[in-house]
Amino acid sequence: MLDALTAIAGPANVLTGADMGSYVCDWADRPQGAPLAVVRPADTDQVAAILRLANETGTPVVPISGNTGLAGGTQADGAILLSMGRMNAIRAINPAARTAVVEAGAIIADIHEAVAEHDLIFPLFFGARGSALIGGALSTNAGGSNVLRYGNTRDLCLGIEAVLPTGEVVDLMRQLHKDNSGYDLRHLLIGAEGTLGVITAAVLKLHPAPLANATAMLAVRSVSDALGLLNRLQRETGGAVQAFEYMPRAFVEACVAQIPGLRTPFESAYDVNVLVEVGATQPRAATPGEDGQPPIAAQLEEALGALFEEGALLDAVVAQNEAQRNAMWALREASAEITRLNDPVIDNDVAVPLDRMQALLDRIAAIIARHDPGARDVSVAHLGDGNLHFTCCPTRPDPDLMETIHTEVEDAAIALGGSFSAEHGIGLRKRDSMARHKNPAAMAAMRAIKTALDPNGILNPGKVLPDP
Amino acid sequence: MLDALTAIAGPANVLTGADMGSYVCDWADRPQGAPLAVVRPADTDQVAAILRLANETGTPVVPISGNTGLAGGTQADGAILLSMGRMNAIRAINPAARTAVVEAGAIIADIHEAVAEHDLIFPLFFGARGSALIGGALSTNAGGSNVLRYGNTRDLCLGIEAVLPTGEVVDLMRQLHKDNSGYDLRHLLIGAEGTLGVITAAVLKLHPAPLANATAMLAVRSVSDALGLLNRLQRETGGAVQAFEYMPRAFVEACVAQIPGLRTPFESAYDVNVLVEVGATQPRAATPGEDGQPPIAAQLEEALGALFEEGALLDAVVAQNEAQRNAMWALREASAEITRLNDPVIDNDVAVPLDRMQALLDRIAAIIARHDPGARDVSVAHLGDGNLHFTCCPTRPDPDLMETIHTEVEDAAIALGGSFSAEHGIGLRKRDSMARHKNPAAMAAMRAIKTALDPNGILNPGKVLPDP
């Protein structure tokens, strides 16, 4: 097997033993199993050759991107770990059509940088963008902080190329806004977490870069009040709100206490803190007026002023420059570090309809009060998407207690019409949740599709679908 | 079989022979084959029972909505014609979450009317909206005139319920903006033209109704110039362009000559006519200023003025009231009637990347000049989507000539990186195009999925996928 892999990818690109190094550890340096070998293909033909070989020999293959996943989707015991990192070309940027053609191994931050030269953005923003690869983001349908305005990764992708488990190359690299030519394999492969095919390239949709941003930290009485503000701001700005992020008091306090340099812009501590950002793509909303500030900032301040009058807003600080804006974002993006520093934490990634977030938070408070009243809830939420990253530091690392709280939070989300996995996906970690909550007919259909496309079950086996 | 169907749906809802009446004719009253019977289920349970029966007995089932399809997707010789028209409830509208829960048989215009009461829109607009049902629009991923701003039908749908060919009910009726819980069956079933499942209900995404619209007819030198105007308008309005429709001279002339009451707003005839509409959802863009007109209209007139200065704009008329706006839209929406009145026509629904539309039109002109110089090209285009509805009246109804032009237009679109089916789908009519142009690995994957979900091949057999 190793000889055959070497013949395909070259000796420098088949790594075993200690040479596998960081490929086999997750973002927090935790080992992710012992693969047979790490293979680093140079192009789509090599990916196809590797999959054909694996399919013929019944060898498992686990595709890996930037190792920033949170669901155990790249655990690779005994498998070929297929690293896409060498296929990292940004092949073309077409400013007129607002598209970029990239290979799966392109780092998201590199794509950001490349399109910025054309006054465009690829609006997929999350903390790990400096190491996450676009192929992994597509395979997990990554979300992040700008979904509210621009959608999930699948909404930012016009076309893909992928290699099926049997080694055939599906070429759907279209730059079209309308293409009703058969089943939508693009959407099927996006979010399939590398179990149905290996995405090797994509056509990405770009957007005009905002000409001006206005960012603020708010303290509000309740999450319901925050959503009222969101609706008002969307109306005033014509849907220009690009981020609306919730941070509770315990999260802000943990950031300030545990991470040097982080601070809150407020004098006092508040229970409900929200980072809001609006972006103006219209010159008339971005051009500074007589007071020196762009109309988009005035719109934000006007809406905040009205809310303050009504008593719903307790405090607000509008960033006056890029440094203040960055400081606000640094607080929000510290969530991964807070999780790491407070390990073990109970975490869960759930979503509910927007108007039920307050109910979810109320139920979670009751769950914590019932099982571990001293636990600290350091959750954050993409509030504008109804997506809560539940994160809770228990008073004692009792596995049963942690499991109970984890499960009850998930059940609460489901009871409110929610999902047990908003943006992190299923991988290995959420297979039990799939078994408990997913519609049985949907699960049976997924299994049938998996078997149809991967008859020998070689591609990322054991992920996403629970054992029957 | 008829007895069993009657036991499920009741005698009034199993129609045979002459009673099948209009169910078996398309929108232009052309017969669509001879079904075994028309069955009109009352609810999802009845749909499931019908499919179980059909699956056990190997009886073909063809789901039918409003009979407005253009690809022969409901041809039903010897099949149970499953009419969704009785399942037409608009179950709920949630203005806070901007969602509507509807059954598959709801008429699109009825949905428009129901949500308008809440100052919301369901932005799926096409000529047949008064008879097309939402289930059919989802099954074909319908497009229309507002895709530019709001996306195709799949982009307007958060959740679906569907019955699989084996009779299992897939419940994915989520109101969530993030839900990464397994393969995206919603996107797989949407656009599958009723070959993988029967969509029975959906959660639709609603948008704020524009507070003011500004509509204009333009005459420009070329389609390339029109696209320059589109980019400028998108920039000035922050992406508020909701329609950008192309009509060539021959189309406008045909409308005026053949349809009583239709007229062009121009004194002279022009080669390239464009209907443009921008919609303001922000109060500040919609509130009339001192001159009595809303800022959105001023933005449109400003952009037109600049283009006029540059010589790219030959003529322009901005609608001054709703009657003038309606008259402009009546011209555009006459396209189906023009097709009907000039039958036989050569028509094709293709898409190209936006920046290649001029090249496509140039190639089409050359194709017509080569084969039938006297033919009249009465095409229209959703120009902002790169979607051309090629429609050509040949000088003689010669099937070979018509087939040649049809094929060459399609090949020209493909050669420019386009699609042979932009929004009408495949049905029966485009299966040859699928065989000629679709990526073989993609086609093999589609066949495998079809077999996996419909092992007995009972659901809308022979559609979408060409014979192997």
Side-chain angles (χ1 to χ4, degrees):
Chain A
M1 175 56 63
L2 292 178
D3 288 348
L5 291 171
T6 303
I8 295 168
N13 296 305
V14 179
L15 312 177
T16 57
D19 290 344
M20 296 194 289
S22 64
Y23 288 104
V24 297
C25 294
D26 74 358
W27 62 277
D29 274 337
R30 289 174 297 220
Q32 295 284 289
L36 189 68
V38 171
V39 184
R40 303 185 301 185
D43 56 32
T44 303
D45 285 348
Q46 290 188 7
V47 175
I50 293 163
L51 288 187
R52 274 196 304 273
L53 172 68
N55 190 46
E56 281 159 15
T57 56
T59 313
V61 175
V62 175
I64 190 170
S65 286
N67 246 336
T68 64
L70 297 169
T74 55
Q75 208 283 348
D77 264 326
I80 297 169
L81 194 59
L82 187 72
S83 165
M84 302 303 291
R86 286 178 72 208
M87 295 175 59
N88 61 1
I90 297 174
R91 287 187 197 155
I93 297 171
N94 180 350
R98 290 185 184 161
T99 55
V101 182
V102 301
E103 293 182 353
I107 294 173
I108 291 169
D110 289 348
I111 299 173
H112 289 167
E113 204 174 311
V115 306
E117 290 173 28
H118 303 277
D119 296 325
L120 295 169
I121 55 168
F122 174 62
L124 177 65
F125 288 101
F126 51 80
R129 60 187 175 273
S131 49
L133 312 184
I134 186 63
L138 287 162
S139 291
T140 57
N141 185 32
S145 299
N146 279 187
V147 171
L148 178 59
R149 183 165 191 176
Y150 299 103
N152 295 287
T153 307
R154 69 169 70 255
D155 303 307
L156 302 173
C157 176
L158 292 173
I160 60 168
E161 177 192 78
V163 182
L164 298 181
T166 44
E168 278 96 30
V169 180
V170 175
D171 177 359
L172 302 167
M173 291 288 278
R174 291 273 176 264
Q175 313 219 5
L176 303 172
H177 294 273
K178 285 181 173 171
D179 184 15
N180 281 345
S181 57
Y183 307 155
D184 202 321
L185 299 178
R186 171 181 51 126
H187 277 307
L188 183 64
L189 290 162
I190 293 175
E193 303 187 29
T195 64
L196 297 180
V198 178
I199 295 174
T200 46
V203 180
L204 304 178
K205 204 192 284 188
L206 307 177
H207 288 264
L211 300 168
N213 292 306
T215 311
M217 277 283 285
L218 320 175
V220 291
R221 283 185 312 202
S222 69
V223 162
S224 291
D225 281 353
L227 286 171
L229 171 66
L230 174 59
N231 284 341
R232 181 185 303 215
L233 267 177
Q234 291 288 44
R235 189 176 152 87
E236 292 299 325
T237 62
V241 181
Q242 53 203 26
F244 202 75
E245 301 286 317
Y246 163 72
M247 291 165 272
R249 178 193 290 244
F251 173 77
V252 173
E253 286 174 350
C255 287
V256 173
Q258 296 188 278
I259 303 180
L262 285 194
R263 55 194 167 71
T264 157
F266 298 131
E267 305 279 327
S268 321
Y270 296 104
D271 287 339
V272 180
N273 305 275
V274 173
L275 190 165
V276 60
E277 186 163 279
V278 292
T281 52
Q282 296 169 264
R284 77 183 61 223
T287 309
E290 285 171 17
D291 58 354
Q293 70 172 355
I296 189 85
Q299 286 169 31
L300 176 60
E301 293 193 0
E302 245 179 70
L304 297 180
L307 208 74
F308 198 78
E309 291 288 308
E310 293 165 17
L313 190 65
L314 304 175
D315 206 342
V317 175
V318 178
Q320 298 302 315
N321 51 49
E322 198 64 11
Q324 288 181 11
R325 179 189 178 214
N326 290 340
M328 291 177 184
W329 274 108
L331 201 65
R332 170 60 187 85
E333 295 198 333
S335 55
E337 188 65 2
I338 289 298
T339 301
R340 200 180 63 81
L341 289 171
N342 293 282
D343 198 51
V345 298
I346 313 160
D347 60 346
N348 210 332
D349 163 46
V350 295
V352 289
L354 253 64
D355 53 342
R356 297 182 194 164
M357 181 59 88
Q358 183 71 62
L360 177 65
L361 294 173
D362 293 344
R363 291 187 191 195
I364 288 175
I367 292 166
I368 292 175
R370 192 158 61 240
H371 296 293
D372 189 10
R376 280 183 309 143
D377 182 354
V378 295
S379 300
V380 293
H382 302 299
L383 188 54
D385 311 320
N387 175 194
L388 181 72
H389 291 315
F390 173 72
T391 314
C392 178
C393 312
T395 56
R396 54 188 197 282
D398 170 354
D400 287 344
L401 168 72
M402 293 173 71
E403 181 61 27
T404 300
I405 293 177
H406 182 273
T407 304
E408 290 193 11
V409 166
E410 196 162 287
D411 291 349
I414 295 289
L416 291 164
S419 171
F420 55 89
S421 179
E423 59 176 17
H424 294 168
I426 306 301
L428 280 180
R429 286 187 64 191
K430 285 274 175 117
R431 293 193 311 165
D432 288 351
S433 306
M434 279 284 275
R436 266 208 317 278
H437 298 298
K438 196 74 191 180
N439 173 267
M443 188 94 82
M446 288 180 203
R447 287 209 173 91
I449 291 166
K450 170 70 175 171
T451 304
L453 297 185
D454 185 9
N456 297 325
I458 59 139
L459 198 52
N460 215 0
K463 311 297 163 53
V464 181
L465 300 171
D467 299 327
Chain B
M1 174 57 61
L2 292 178
D3 288 348
L5 291 170
T6 303
I8 294 168
N13 297 304
V14 179
L15 313 177
T16 55
D19 290 346
M20 296 194 289
S22 65
Y23 289 103
V24 297
C25 293
D26 74 358
W27 64 276
D29 275 337
R30 290 175 296 218
Q32 294 285 289
L36 189 68
V38 171
V39 184
R40 303 184 302 185
D43 56 32
T44 302
D45 285 348
Q46 290 188 8
V47 175
I50 293 162
L51 288 187
R52 273 195 305 273
L53 173 69
N55 190 45
E56 281 158 16
T57 56
T59 314
V61 175
V62 176
I64 189 169
S65 286
N67 246 336
T68 64
L70 297 170
T74 55
Q75 208 285 348
D77 264 327
I80 298 168
L81 194 60
L82 188 72
S83 165
M84 302 303 291
R86 285 178 72 209
M87 295 176 59
N88 60 2
I90 296 174
R91 288 186 197 154
I93 296 170
N94 181 349
R98 291 185 183 159
T99 55
V101 182
V102 301
E103 293 181 354
I107 294 173
I108 291 168
D110 289 348
I111 299 172
H112 289 167
E113 203 174 313
V115 306
E117 289 173 27
H118 303 276
D119 296 325
L120 295 169
I121 55 167
F122 174 62
L124 178 64
F125 289 102
F126 50 81
R129 61 188 174 273
S131 48
L133 311 184
I134 186 64
L138 287 161
S139 291
T140 57
N141 184 33
S145 299
N146 278 189
V147 170
L148 178 59
R149 183 165 191 176
Y150 299 103
N152 295 287
T153 307
R154 68 170 72 255
D155 304 306
L156 301 172
C157 176
L158 292 173
I160 60 166
E161 178 191 77
V163 183
L164 298 182
T166 45
E168 278 96 30
V169 179
V170 175
D171 177 359
L172 301 167
M173 291 288 278
R174 292 273 175 265
Q175 313 218 3
L176 303 172
H177 294 273
K178 285 181 175 171
D179 183 15
N180 281 344
S181 57
Y183 307 154
D184 202 321
L185 299 177
R186 171 182 51 124
H187 277 306
L188 184 63
L189 290 162
I190 293 174
E193 303 187 28
T195 64
L196 298 180
V198 178
I199 295 174
T200 47
V203 180
L204 305 178
K205 203 192 282 187
L206 306 177
H207 288 264
L211 301 168
N213 292 306
T215 310
M217 278 283 283
L218 319 175
V220 290
R221 284 184 312 203
S222 69
V223 162
S224 290
D225 281 353
L227 286 171
L229 170 67
L230 173 60
N231 284 341
R232 179 185 305 214
L233 267 177
Q234 290 288 43
R235 189 176 152 89
E236 292 299 324
T237 62
V241 180
Q242 53 203 24
F244 201 76
E245 302 285 317
Y246 162 73
M247 292 166 272
R249 178 194 290 244
F251 172 78
V252 174
E253 286 174 350
C255 287
V256 173
Q258 295 187 277
I259 303 179
L262 284 194
R263 55 194 167 72
T264 156
F266 298 130
E267 305 280 324
S268 320
Y270 296 103
D271 287 338
V272 180
N273 305 274
V274 173
L275 190 165
V276 60
E277 186 163 279
V278 291
T281 53
Q282 295 167 266
R284 77 183 60 223
T287 309
E290 285 171 16
D291 59 354
Q293 71 173 354
I296 189 84
Q299 284 169 34
L300 177 59
E301 293 192 1
E302 246 178 71
L304 296 181
L307 209 74
F308 198 78
E309 292 288 307
E310 292 164 18
L313 191 64
L314 303 176
D315 206 342
V317 175
V318 178
Q320 298 302 314
N321 52 49
E322 198 64 13
Q324 288 181 11
R325 179 188 178 216
N326 290 340
M328 290 176 185
W329 273 108
L331 200 64
R332 170 60 185 86
E333 294 197 333
S335 56
E337 187 66 3
I338 289 297
T339 301
R340 200 179 65 77
L341 289 172
N342 292 282
D343 199 50
V345 297
I346 313 159
D347 59 347
N348 210 331
D349 164 46
V350 296
V352 289
L354 254 64
D355 52 342
R356 297 185 192 162
M357 182 58 91
Q358 182 71 63
L360 177 65
L361 294 173
D362 292 344
R363 291 187 190 196
I364 287 175
I367 291 166
I368 292 175
R370 192 158 61 240
H371 296 293
D372 189 12
R376 279 183 309 141
D377 181 355
V378 294
S379 301
V380 294
H382 303 300
L383 188 54
D385 311 319
N387 175 194
L388 180 73
H389 292 315
F390 172 73
T391 313
C392 178
C393 312
T395 54
R396 56 188 195 282
D398 169 354
D400 288 343
L401 168 73
M402 293 173 71
E403 181 60 28
T404 299
I405 293 177
H406 182 273
T407 304
E408 290 193 11
V409 167
E410 197 162 286
D411 291 349
I414 295 289
L416 290 164
S419 171
F420 54 88
S421 179
E423 60 176 17
H424 294 168
I426 306 301
L428 281 180
R429 284 187 66 191
K430 285 271 175 121
R431 293 193 311 164
D432 288 350
S433 306
M434 279 284 273
R436 265 208 318 277
H437 297 299
K438 196 75 188 178
N439 174 266
M443 187 93 84
M446 289 181 202
R447 284 192 218 284
I449 291 166
K450 169 69 176 173
T451 305
L453 297 185
D454 186 8
N456 297 326
I458 60 139
L459 200 52
N460 215 359
K463 313 293 162 57
V464 180
L465 299 171
D467 298 328

